Amino acid sequence: RKRNVYVTPESGRNGHTNGHQYPEKKVISNKKLKNFDLFEKVETDFTVRTEKGGLVALSAWIIIAILSLNEIWSHVSLNGSSKEHVLVDTSLGVDRRMDVNINITFPQLSCSDLHVDIMDVAGDSHINLDAEEDHKLVKHRLRLDGTRMSKNSKGEIVEANKAAKEEKKKEIIKDEELPDDYCGPCYGSAAEGQCCQTCDDVIAAYDKRNWDSRQIVMHAEQCIREGKDKKPIKRMTKGEGCHLEGTIKLNKVAGNFHIAMGEAHDIQGHHIHQFLPEDAINFNSSHVIHELSFGKQYPGMVENGLDGVSKFVSDETGGTGVFQYFVKVVPTTFTDADGNVVETNRYSVTERYRPLMTELDDEHFELGKSPDAAGAKAGGETKGSHSHGHHMHQNAVLPGVFFIYEIYPFAVEVTQVSVPFSHLLIRLMAVIGGTLTISGWIDAYMYSREKQRY
């Protein structure tokens, strides 16, 4: 048995000092600590290696590699993915608004004939929109080949709120009370100090100077008060296109926004478009929707249903017509892995097209006109009906592009999934440990069977 002795540097090889002897100290035994050892060791001389054991071990390492790669791939795929939850939306109403991003090209429609209007079930109506009310739309004039009319895009931008501003100014003039000593301006057509009290006075002053009074009638305050400022209905402008882009704000209630023929007016609560019926065929409703989104985009968001949609009209499709897009808007809240929240909307869409002109043969034409011909289909031929000629019939449609939207009462919460790296380590250790344990059991079972055989 060996003794454990503390030796100082001055000690000799025999453990004694130069003339001084130190007492021996016993080292505490580690037998109790060894009792906690779960990993029993076997001397190399007592181990046995078999071919079947090598085959089991090789199979185990292959399985570990496959399962580990699968776990890593699952971890990477799961990070950044999202889960969705549906709940009742309580944010609907006129006090809540949503942004609509518009980017549409009308290749054969002049910007002067392009009017954007909004209506909703709450009674809100916006004619030609107004930038002062957070609507930000611009129109760029295009050539028929799709290029802008000027490289300086600033100079070619047409105000989208011009008509709305003019209407507001006219309303202010109509509501204004005139003082007793009122002296109406003659707009430079009369001598200084001369008054033009009525619209007729303004026209007479212009006629006296041989000036054209057609334009001043539209802007003179006297004519506006008397209601004589109504300009003649404009005919369609040909040979140009228009690119419309920007953002409008809508109440979170059902409604529609549209680009349709003629300038719109609200008359006694009715939304009316004024245009010449014979000029309707010249309103080309062909369009390309580059983008139409109801709010911001978020990572992984499904592509908007109308992005990239192109529609073109021709003589075969009635010359022109009305395109109707029925949009179902789903309020959506997205929360990323860092807790940042984006409130937006997704949508689904269906569409419908109604042509302005349809072709009818003589038989259908006379059936529609003659009361005696009502039973011709069921009871036989009617005198005077023909089956060879064709007639073009103009349908009662307003040419344009309409977006009719509804808000779903349910909202979707989208949450981005973030899995900690520690989860991956735990799963990898479980894969490795579990596979080695099971393969050890299989190897032990095979070895015991082999020993019993011999």
Side-chain angles (χ1 to χ4, degrees):
R1 180 180 297 177
K2 295 181 179 179
R3 292 182 301 173
N4 295 315
V5 180
Y6 288 95
V7 182
T8 63
E10 294 83 5
S11 301
R13 295 194 177 204
N14 56 0
H16 292 84
T17 61
N18 298 329
H20 298 281
Q21 196 170 18
Y22 289 88
E24 297 179 0
K25 294 183 180 180
K26 294 183 180 179
V27 178
I28 299 174
S29 175
N30 294 327
K31 285 185 178 180
K32 290 184 178 180
L33 187 59
K34 292 179 180 179
N35 293 333
F36 291 99
D37 188 4
L38 298 177
F39 309 101
E40 298 178 353
K41 283 76 177 175
V42 181
E43 295 291 341
T44 307
D45 296 339
F46 298 101
T47 58
V48 178
R49 296 180 181 272
T50 62
E51 291 181 0
K52 291 183 179 179
L55 183 61
V56 171
L58 183 61
S59 301
W61 286 116
I62 293 174
I63 293 172
I64 288 173
I66 294 173
L67 294 179
S68 297
L69 289 174
N70 183 65
E71 289 296 334
I72 294 171
W73 174 257
S74 298
H75 178 80
V76 173
S77 301
L78 196 59
N79 260 326
S81 63
S82 58
K83 59 181 180 180
E84 299 184 357
H85 176 66
V86 179
L87 69 162
V88 177
D89 186 20
T90 58
S91 65
L92 301 180
V94 294
D95 57 332
R96 299 294 299 272
R97 309 188 81 185
M98 59 183 178
D99 292 340
V100 179
N101 305 307
I102 298 174
N103 190 344
I104 307 176
T105 296
F106 294 85
Q108 297 188 48
L109 182 63
S110 170
C111 285
S112 61
D113 298 321
L114 194 155
H115 310 286
V116 184
D117 306 314
I118 301 175
M119 302 172 61
D120 62 38
V121 296
D124 271 4
S125 179
H126 301 267
I127 300 174
N128 291 325
L129 303 186
D130 191 343
E132 295 174 358
E133 298 178 1
D134 298 327
H135 302 298
K136 299 176 182 178
L137 283 177
V138 291
K139 297 185 285 187
H140 303 268
R141 296 174 63 193
L142 304 176
R143 299 186 182 89
L144 291 180
D145 61 0
T147 58
R148 291 189 180 180
M149 287 198 168
S150 173
K151 292 182 179 179
N152 182 7
S153 60
K154 251 184 183 179
E156 295 299 324
I157 295 178
V158 182
E159 288 186 77
N161 62 323
K162 185 177 179 181
K165 286 182 177 180
E166 290 178 356
E167 289 294 329
K168 281 193 173 183
K169 288 179 181 177
K170 290 181 179 181
E171 290 297 325
I172 294 173
I173 292 173
K174 289 178 181 178
D175 297 337
E176 185 181 8
E177 293 187 7
L178 299 179
D180 295 335
D181 58 347
Y182 171 75
C183 178
C186 295
Y187 304 96
S189 60
E192 187 176 352
Q194 184 177 343
C195 301
C196 294
Q197 302 297 90
T198 65
C199 184
D200 290 338
D201 291 344
V202 175
I203 295 173
Y206 264 66
D207 290 343
K208 190 175 181 180
R209 285 181 172 263
N210 293 322
W211 291 356
D212 187 358
S213 61
R214 287 177 295 180
Q215 289 298 321
I216 195 62
V217 168
M218 306 301 167
H219 305 287
E221 59 181 57
Q222 299 92 327
C223 300
I224 293 173
R225 290 193 196 95
E226 297 173 17
K228 296 180 179 180
D229 61 319
K230 305 302 180 186
K231 57 184 177 182
I233 297 176
K234 176 184 175 299
R235 286 189 171 273
M236 298 295 299
T237 302
K238 296 183 179 181
E240 290 186 16
C242 190
H243 178 214
L244 175 70
E245 61 178 341
T247 302
I248 60 177
K249 286 187 177 291
L250 305 178
N251 295 329
K252 292 190 80 171
V253 294
N256 79 80
F257 58 94
H258 55 267
I259 299 97
M261 183 175 184
E263 288 192 13
H265 300 272
D266 277 337
I267 301 176
Q268 296 181 349
H270 298 283
H271 186 81
I272 297 174
H273 284 257
Q274 293 183 341
F275 62 94
L276 299 171
E278 66 271 15
D279 201 27
I281 193 65
N282 296 319
F283 185 95
N284 193 307
S285 56
S286 300
H287 58 278
V288 179
I289 303 176
H290 307 289
E291 179 190 1
L292 184 73
S293 59
F294 287 75
K296 299 178 181 178
Q297 298 290 110
Y298 63 81
M301 185 174 179
V302 179
E303 185 178 352
N304 297 312
L306 287 175
D307 289 0
V309 170
S310 301
K311 301 292 181 181
F312 295 93
V313 295
S314 62
D315 292 338
E316 289 74 18
T317 58
T320 187
V322 56
F323 291 92
Q324 295 174 311
Y325 297 101
F326 301 93
V327 181
K328 308 292 184 181
V329 180
V330 182
T332 305
T333 302
F334 173 77
T335 306
D336 64 14
D338 297 326
N340 300 316
V341 179
V342 176
E343 291 190 0
T344 183
N345 301 277
R346 297 183 297 186
Y347 67 87
S348 60
V349 62
T350 55
E351 61 184 71
R352 179 191 183 193
Y353 172 70
R354 297 177 63 193
L356 177 67
M357 307 297 295
T358 53
E359 188 176 9
L360 299 176
D361 57 32
D362 280 342
E363 184 176 356
H364 288 92
F365 182 77
E366 294 201 9
L367 284 176
K369 295 294 183 181
S370 170
D372 297 332
K377 274 280 184 181
E381 286 192 17
T382 302
K383 289 184 178 181
S385 66
H386 306 283
S387 58
H388 298 292
H390 296 275
H391 298 273
M392 295 303 295
H393 172 68
Q394 182 167 331
N395 298 313
V397 299
L398 177 63
V401 181
F402 286 72
F403 299 93
I404 302 99
Y405 60 91
E406 293 182 9
I407 314 294
Y408 269 119
F410 298 99
V412 177
E413 287 186 347
V414 182
T415 306
Q416 198 172 40
V417 177
S418 177
V419 182
F421 184 70
S422 58
H423 286 205
L424 175 62
L425 293 179
I426 292 171
R427 296 183 70 88
L428 288 176
M429 288 189 288
V431 166
I432 296 171
T435 306
L436 291 178
T437 300
I438 294 174
S439 61
W441 292 346
I442 295 173
D443 178 64
Y445 173 75
M446 294 174 63
Y447 181 68
S448 63
R449 290 291 302 271
E450 189 174 352
K451 283 186 66 176
Q452 289 176 3
R453 189 178 301 173
Y454 298 102

